[in-house]
Amino acid sequence: MSQSYDANRWKRFDDWDARALRLDKFAVEDPENGFSAFRGAADPKPGLGIKGGKVTSMDGVAARDFDLIDAFIATYHIDPDIAEEAMAIPSEQLARMLVDMNVPRTELTRLARGLTPAKLAETVAQLNAMELSFAYSKMRARQSPGNQAHVTNAKDDPLQLAADAAIAVALGFDEIETTMRVARNSWSNALACCVGSAVGRAGTLFQCSSEEAEELEIGMAGFTSYAETVSVYGTESAFIDGDDTPWSKAWLAAAYASRGIKMRCTSGAAAELLMGFHEAKSLLYLEARCLCLQRGMGSQGTQNGGIDGAPLASSMPGGVRELLAENLVAVWLDLECASGNDARHSESDMRVAAKVLPYLIGGSDLICSGFGSILKYDNSFNPSSFNGEELEEFLVLQRDFEADGGLTAVEDARALDLRRRAIDALSHVLKDLGLAEATEVMKRSVAVASGSNDTQSFTPRDVALISDKIHSQGITVLDVIRSLHRGGFRDEAENLLFLVKLRVSGDYLQTSAVVRDGRVISAINDPNEYTGPGTGHRLSEERRAELAAIREVLDREEVLRAEATSEMGEAKAIRYQTMGPATPGTDPQEIVVGVSPGFGSKIFRTLAGHPLSAVLRALKAGIERGGGTMRIVRFWHTADTSFLGLSAARLSGSGLGIGIQSKGTAVIHQKDRLPHNNLELFSNAPITTLDHYEAMGFNATSYAQGVLPEPVVVPTRGEALGARFHPRVALTYAIETSMTEDGAAPENLQITFLET
Amino acid sequence: MSDKPLTARDYPVAETRPEQVAGSRGKPLSSLTLDAVIGGDVDIEDLRITPQALLQQAQISRSVGRAALAENFERAAEMTRLPQDEVMTIYELLRPGRAESKDSLLDAASRIRRDHDAQQLADFLEEAARFYELRGLFRKRY
C-alpha cells in the first residue's frame, strides 16, 4: 500500500465530507435577498394608529397603503379595545412575561389580540432557543400533547393504506393524513384510510389532502373529518401567486366549519422566499403576518413551523431557532399548533433529533404535522423528519425523557392482527360495494409488507378505477358503515359511526380538538394551565409505564434464560472439578488464571459470545506456547477483574496471574502491583477474540520471564459498546457479585476439555 | 333551549346536552344509532351540522376570548344554508382575477343575502370587493 504524505489538506475534512450532514446546503445570511431568519432588510418597526375604533396605520404603513394582508389583519386580527394597552408594553417586558411562569397564558393570549405582526416578531426574537422552547410549552393551547401521521404509499394501494392506517391508530396518532401519487385516486385513498382508521379504536381524525373543492366534497361524503390545506402567505404577491387572497381563504375556513369539518391553516417560514416574493423581510416577520391573518380568519389553528420551507429556513443562521419562534407566535395568538417537524429539514439524523427535542419535551398540540408512519419511499408528501424507519427512535426518545410524544409501542403479534383485520374489512367493502376484488395473494402480501416494494397488490391504474367508481356512484360513509356491518365488521362500523356523529355537535371544531377515549378534548376542556413545576401536563403512572414498554427489554431472568441455552453446549465441552483450597504455588513457570464465582456455573459465554471453555483453551494454548503451565483458581471473595488478577498473581508461583470474569473482561497482573495498576487489560470484552486471549496467555509468560512483550491491543472501530452491552454487563455482573462471600477462600479447579 | 349563551361549562355540547344536538333534518344524536343506519333510517343529511350547533360553538368560543373563531362559526352558520355549488362558485369568484369587476362580487353578495339570509357573508363579500378594487385584483391573470 502506497502512502502519500504530500496531501494539501487535512484528511479529517475527507471524513467530514463523507458525513450525511454535508449533503445539506447552507446559505449565507443575506437580508436584502430574503435570507434572514430574524433581521430582514425591510422589516418594519412596530407601531399602530387607531382612531374611532379603526386602524389608521400599522407597522409603519398608513391605512390607505395597506396591501390585502395588512387590510385583513387590521380588520379582523387587531382588537381595538386591547391594542392601545398591549402596544404600550415594551417588547422586552412582553418577552419576559412569556417566560414568566407566574403570568398566566390567558393574560398573554388576551394581549396578543392587540399586537401587530412586527410587535409579535420583535418580542419573540428576543428569546433564546431555551426561552422559546419554555415559552412554547407554557403557551401551547391544549394541555395533553398529541401527534399526527402521514399514511400514504407509492402505489396508492388501498389495502396497504387500510393496514397502515390501522397501525397509525394503534400507535396513538390523533390525526392521520393521506395524499395521492395520482390525483384522481383521492376517493379511493379516502375510503381506504377511513376504513383502516376505524380498526381497533374510534376517534382518530382523518384528512385526505387534495384539491380544495374535491377535499370539501370528500369531507361532505363523510370520509374525512379535518383539513389543513388552507395555505396562507406573508406577502401579497406570494398570496396571489398561490391563487388565493385572505378573503378567499377565510371563505374556505367558513366552508369547512359549515360542513362540520375541523380546519387549520398552513403557513411556514421561507414559503415566500421559495416563491420569489419575500420583499426583503425576515422569515419571522412574514410568518407573524401569516399567523395574525389566520387568527383573524377565525381558523382554530395552524400547521406552522417551516413545513415545506423548513429545509430552506434551516439553511440560514438561526433558521431552526426561527422555526421555534414562529411556533411560539402561533400559540401566543391562541392557535392550535401542528408544529411542523414534518418535511425532513436535513440529511443528518442528529439535526433531525435536535430539532424535534423541544417539542417532544415541552409538548405540542401535534408534535409533528406529519410523522411518516410509513417508510420514506412510501411517503407521498416527501420524507418526514421521522418515518417508519425511525419510529422506534421516537419511541425511545419518549422513554428517555419520560416525555409524551403521543405514541405508544405496538407489539408484533398485535400489529399483524390489526393489519389483517383492516385488510379483510376493506377487501370486504371493496367487493360488497362492487368496487374491486382483492385476491388472497394481495391480502397476504400487504399484511406482512413493510412497504409497497414488498406488495403484490393493486396498481395505481386499478386504484383510479376504484376511485372513479366511488365518486360516480355517490358512495358515502353511510354506505361504508352498512357494508362493514354486512361483512360482520360490527366494531369497525360502530367506530366509524361514532366519528361521523361527532360532526353534528361541532365540538371538534374548537381550538386544538382531538378525540381521546371516546371524548372530544380541546383547549376548552383541557386547557394548558402550566404555572410552574407540578402543574400543566404531567405523566400519569399508567402513561409512564406505556412509554417505558418498548420491545426487547432485558431483565435478570432474560440474561439467565439466554445463559441456560449455552449451558448444555458447555456441559459437552468442558468439565470443572473443585479440587479443594488453593494455596500459593512455587513453580516459577506457573501462571494462575483466576476466574469469577459464576464462571462456567451460572454464566457460560463472554459478551463476545465465546464459550468460556474456548476462552480457557485459548489462554492455556498461549501460556503453553510461552513455556508456562496454567493453574485455574476460582475466587469467591470478589468478582472484580483487577482483584481477580491480583489475587491470582499472589497465588502464582511466577508471581504473574490472569484474572477473568465470566463476561470475558480479563487482566494480566503481578503480585506486587497496586490493584488497579495492572500489566494488560481487555476491558472491551464484546470485541475480544479468542486470538487475543491466546496472546494474553503468552504475554503473561513473557512478563514472568522478565521480558517486555508487545502488549495485546484489542482494536475498536468506535462501536457504542456501552449502549450495546452495558445492561447485560450490569445484570451479568450483578449475578456474579451476588455469589461472592467476604473472606471466602479460593479453590483450585481442574478442567477437562471434552471435545478436541 | 334557553336564551342564555353557552360557555365553556357547556362543552362538549354532545356530552352536556345531547338531547339538544340534532342533525340537519332534526334527528337527535340518540337516534343516530348503528341499527338506524342499517335500517336505512339515517341519511347523510342527518349527519350535517346545523346553524344552531355552529352558533352554540360560537358562543362557547366567545366565552373563552376567541371572538375571531366565533365570527368564523357565525359565517359558517350562514353558509350551512348555501348549496355546495354556490359555496364553491363564490370561492372561485374570490380568487384573484376571477371576477372582472367588483360587480360580480356585489351581485353574489345580493344573491346570498336575498336567497339564503346570509347577512354576514354578504357583508364579507362587499368588503372583499372594496379591497380588491383598491389593490387592482379585477384583472385576468391567465
Side-chain angles (χ1 to χ4, degrees):
Chain A
M1 193 167 104
S2 76
Q3 276 282 6
S4 164
Y5 298 116
D6 53 7
N8 58 0
R9 189 188 199 215
W10 185 30
K11 287 185 178 171
R12 182 71 53 78
F13 283 97
D14 295 346
D15 297 336
W16 285 335
D17 281 346
R19 303 273 305 168
L21 172 71
R22 278 288 134 196
L23 295 169
D24 291 358
K25 290 292 165 273
F26 299 93
V28 163
E29 191 160 56
D30 180 3
E32 294 293 338
N33 288 302
F35 279 81
S36 176
F38 290 93
R39 287 176 285 188
D43 282 359
K45 287 263 165 292
L48 189 68
I50 293 188
K51 215 177 244 169
K54 292 262 180 216
V55 175
T56 56
S57 68
M58 186 174 72
D59 294 341
V61 181
R64 64 178 173 282
D65 298 324
F66 279 172
D67 65 13
L68 290 174
I69 298 170
D70 296 321
F72 199 94
I73 291 172
T75 309
Y76 290 98
H77 161 64
I78 298 290
D79 183 342
D81 295 338
I82 293 165
E84 200 180 344
E85 172 198 356
M87 288 297 287
I89 303 174
S91 59
E92 295 78 6
Q93 192 182 328
L94 287 169
R96 285 171 167 270
M97 290 164 76
L98 282 168
V99 291
D100 183 346
M101 68 182 94
N102 299 308
V103 178
R105 174 182 189 274
T106 46
E107 172 59 6
L108 283 153
T109 54
R110 185 184 74 82
L111 291 171
R113 302 199 286 271
L115 297 175
T116 65
K119 183 80 167 184
L120 290 161
E122 182 182 85
T123 301
V124 299
Q126 297 176 45
L127 303 181
N128 67 23
M130 177 63 77
E131 291 157 350
L132 287 168
S133 308
F134 176 77
Y136 182 79
S137 182
K138 167 186 156 179
M139 292 302 297
R140 62 195 180 76
R142 189 185 63 238
Q143 189 144 293
S144 311
N147 218 328
Q148 183 199 97
H150 288 164
V151 177
T152 59
N153 66 65
K155 297 176 180 167
D156 289 340
D157 171 24
L159 296 182
Q160 193 187 334
L161 287 168
D164 288 340
I167 292 293
V169 168
L171 285 165
F173 287 104
D174 294 298
E175 294 184 346
I176 61 177
E177 177 185 19
T178 195
T179 196
M180 298 68 63
R181 292 292 160 108
V182 181
R184 67 191 294 175
N185 292 348
S186 55
W187 289 88
S188 171
N189 274 38
L191 185 145
C193 288
C194 176
V195 169
S197 69
V199 173
R201 173 165 67 87
T204 304
L205 302 180
F206 166 55
Q207 171 191 13
C208 180
S209 176
S210 48
E211 187 272 330
E212 299 285 15
E214 188 167 65
E215 187 160 343
L216 247 179
E217 211 183 331
I218 291 171
M220 287 183 66
F223 293 123
T224 55
S225 36
Y226 82 97
E228 63 182 356
T229 44
V230 183
S231 307
V232 309
Y233 304 96
T235 63
E236 189 181 73
S237 310
F239 222 122
I240 290 173
D241 220 43
D243 207 18
D244 268 297
T245 76
W247 277 266
S248 68
K249 287 300 193 187
W251 184 268
L252 270 184
Y256 279 112
S258 75
R259 271 56 184 164
I261 298 168
K262 175 182 174 179
M263 189 279 307
R264 73 173 67 89
C265 288
T266 292
S267 71
E272 299 82 4
L273 185 56
L274 277 172
M275 295 168 77
F277 298 108
H278 53 75
E279 297 178 0
K281 310 253 170 66
S282 66
L283 304 185
L284 180 63
Y285 169 67
L286 292 181
E287 201 44 40
R289 273 161 69 88
C290 289
L291 291 162
C292 289
L293 196 60
Q294 293 173 45
R295 196 190 84 76
M297 281 164 54
S299 175
Q300 63 81 29
T302 183
Q303 171 180 224
N304 161 266
I307 318 302
D308 292 342
L312 181 54
S314 309
S315 77
M316 298 174 208
V320 174
R321 180 168 82 93
E322 192 283 336
L323 300 180
L324 270 168
E326 69 183 52
N327 283 151
L328 175 57
V329 173
V331 293
W332 189 7
L333 287 167
D334 203 15
L335 296 169
E336 175 199 56
C337 188
S339 47
N341 299 306
D342 186 330
R344 196 165 227 266
H345 78 297
S346 172
E347 291 283 4
S348 157
D349 288 349
M350 279 196 201
R351 287 187 84 201
V352 169
K355 179 170 176 282
V356 85
L357 192 62
Y359 302 92
L360 175 66
I361 62 179
S364 185
D365 289 325
L366 297 148
I367 291 170
C368 299
S369 67
F371 185 121
S373 70
I374 56 325
L375 295 179
K376 286 193 183 90
Y377 70 79
D378 270 336
N379 197 330
S380 303
F381 293 97
N382 284 329
S384 298
S385 296
F386 287 81
N387 301 278
E389 288 92 334
E390 298 99 358
L391 195 126
E392 290 203 320
E393 262 101 329
F394 192 87
L395 295 176
V396 170
L397 287 175
Q398 292 188 130
R399 187 180 192 265
D400 287 344
F401 290 95
E402 298 197 318
D404 192 344
L407 304 192
T408 308
V410 183
E411 219 202 327
D412 287 19
R414 183 167 144 71
L416 196 55
D417 285 349
L418 288 167
R419 294 182 68 81
R420 288 185 176 138
R421 178 84 182 170
I423 291 165
D424 287 345
L426 182 69
S427 301
H428 162 75
V429 170
L430 291 177
K431 187 178 177 191
D432 185 51
L433 297 180
L435 298 169
E437 197 145 343
T439 64
E440 276 309 305
V441 170
M442 290 161 92
K443 288 158 56 169
R444 281 166 50 201
S445 77
V446 171
V448 296
S450 181
S452 62
N453 284 351
D454 308 337
T455 64
Q456 292 178 47
S457 191
F458 293 109
T459 66
R461 185 177 177 278
D462 300 332
V463 179
L465 297 175
I466 295 171
S467 194
D468 289 351
K469 277 191 202 167
I470 297 169
H471 190 203
S472 64
Q473 293 175 17
I475 290 171
T476 73
V477 74
L478 289 175
D479 299 314
V480 174
I481 292 171
R482 290 186 198 107
S483 174
L484 283 168
H485 184 263
R486 275 196 295 277
F489 297 95
R490 192 182 168 96
D491 288 349
E492 288 74 12
E494 288 279 12
N495 287 348
L496 209 45
L497 180 62
F498 167 81
L499 188 64
V500 289
K501 271 167 67 178
L502 286 179
R503 66 172 60 183
V504 179
S505 66
D507 287 320
Y508 72 15
L509 302 178
Q510 294 288 357
T511 304
S512 305
V514 291
V515 185
R516 294 266 175 90
D517 304 323
R519 293 196 64 209
V520 176
I521 60 164
S522 72
I524 308 236
N525 59 348
D526 182 28
N528 182 10
E529 290 173 332
Y530 180 83
T531 53
T535 68
H537 175 68
R538 302 281 146 172
L539 288 187
S540 65
E541 271 310 306
E542 187 189 4
R543 182 61 182 144
R544 188 178 168 276
E546 278 181 1
L547 295 182
I550 59 168
R551 72 189 169 104
E552 289 183 13
V553 290
L554 272 182
D555 61 10
R556 186 186 163 96
E557 276 60 48
E558 179 58 38
V559 168
L560 288 172
R561 256 197 305 280
E563 288 308 319
T565 61
S566 308
E567 185 173 5
M568 235 171 355
E570 280 291 84
K572 286 186 196 147
I574 190 168
R575 187 186 312 136
Y576 299 90
Q577 275 177 286
T578 305
M579 304 300 287
T583 50
T586 51
D587 176 1
Q589 307 299 321
E590 174 184 73
I591 304 291
V592 171
V593 173
V595 302
S596 53
F599 193 101
S601 62
K602 281 267 174 29
I603 310 291
F604 303 93
R605 282 177 313 157
T606 69
L607 291 174
H610 306 305
L612 294 182
S613 59
V615 171
L616 289 178
R617 213 186 261 270
L619 284 170
K620 182 164 187 276
I623 290 168
E624 287 175 359
R625 178 160 65 89
T629 54
M630 176 171 84
R631 173 160 65 118
I632 301 182
V633 173
R634 185 190 300 282
F635 290 99
W636 290 102
H637 72 292
T638 183
D640 178 87
T641 326
S642 296
F643 286 96
L644 287 171
L646 185 58
S647 305
R650 286 177 177 162
L651 288 180
S652 172
S654 66
L656 264 293
I658 291 174
I660 183 164
Q661 294 176 311
S662 309
K663 63 187 173 67
T665 305
V667 67
I668 304 179
H669 231 309
Q670 201 161 23
K671 64 178 184 194
D672 48 6
R673 300 181 77 86
L674 288 168
H676 292 295
N677 191 14
N678 54 57
L679 291 170
E680 289 187 36
L681 174 69
F682 293 172
S683 58
N684 285 339
I687 52 171
T688 307
T689 66
L690 292 175
D691 286 346
H692 294 134
Y693 289 111
E694 198 272 351
M696 178 176 251
F698 178 82
N699 279 8
T701 61
S702 299
Y703 291 114
Q705 290 152 18
V707 178
L708 181 64
E710 186 64 40
V712 183
V713 177
V714 177
T716 159
R717 282 171 297 153
E719 303 96 327
L721 292 173
R724 293 188 195 185
F725 292 99
H726 275 178
R728 200 175 133 201
V729 166
L731 288 163
T732 307
Y733 191 54
I735 292 166
E736 295 227 74
T737 51
S738 71
M739 297 170 74
T740 61
E741 200 183 316
D742 277 350
E747 297 172 330
N748 281 323
L749 280 187
Q750 182 178 311
I751 57 166
T752 315
F753 295 118
L754 304 176
E755 290 170 345
T756 49
Chain B
M1 196 200 308
S2 78
D3 291 340
K4 219 170 128 220
L6 302 196
T7 69
R9 279 191 302 280
D10 302 299
Y11 181 87
V13 180
E15 283 178 26
T16 62
R17 44 186 71 201
E19 72 289 351
Q20 287 181 17
V21 178
S24 72
R25 296 198 307 179
K27 278 209 171 77
L29 267 188
S30 57
S31 69
L32 303 175
T33 61
L34 185 57
D35 288 340
V37 172
I38 304 310
D41 298 332
V42 178
D43 186 87
I44 195 82
E45 284 298 304
D46 295 314
L47 299 168
R48 278 190 66 171
I49 193 165
T50 60
Q52 293 74 24
L54 283 159
L55 292 174
Q56 286 182 334
Q57 295 297 342
Q59 291 165 4
I60 292 167
S61 306
R62 204 165 256 120
S63 79
V64 291
R66 298 190 180 112
L69 180 58
E71 285 173 31
N72 181 43
F73 291 151
E74 285 159 2
R75 286 191 288 272
E78 291 189 352
M79 214 180 270
T80 57
R81 297 195 285 271
L82 270 59
Q84 184 67 5
D85 287 352
E86 183 73 300
V87 170
M88 295 319 292
T89 302
I90 294 177
Y91 169 59
E92 184 63 16
L93 208 53
L94 280 168
R95 300 176 94 165
R98 302 306 200 281
E100 284 175 21
S101 74
K102 67 196 264 186
D103 291 343
S104 39
L105 278 175
L106 296 179
D107 288 349
S110 313
R111 191 168 71 236
I112 61 172
R113 187 179 274 125
R114 183 189 64 224
D115 297 348
H116 305 293
D117 188 26
Q119 303 302 329
Q120 293 182 56
L121 288 175
D123 293 347
F124 187 78
L125 292 183
E126 285 162 2
E127 176 190 76
R130 199 162 64 246
F131 283 113
Y132 283 19
E133 187 168 52
L134 283 171
R135 299 302 294 171
L137 251 60
F138 298 122
R139 59 188 150 88
K140 268 221 157 7
R141 295 186 62 247
Y142 60 88

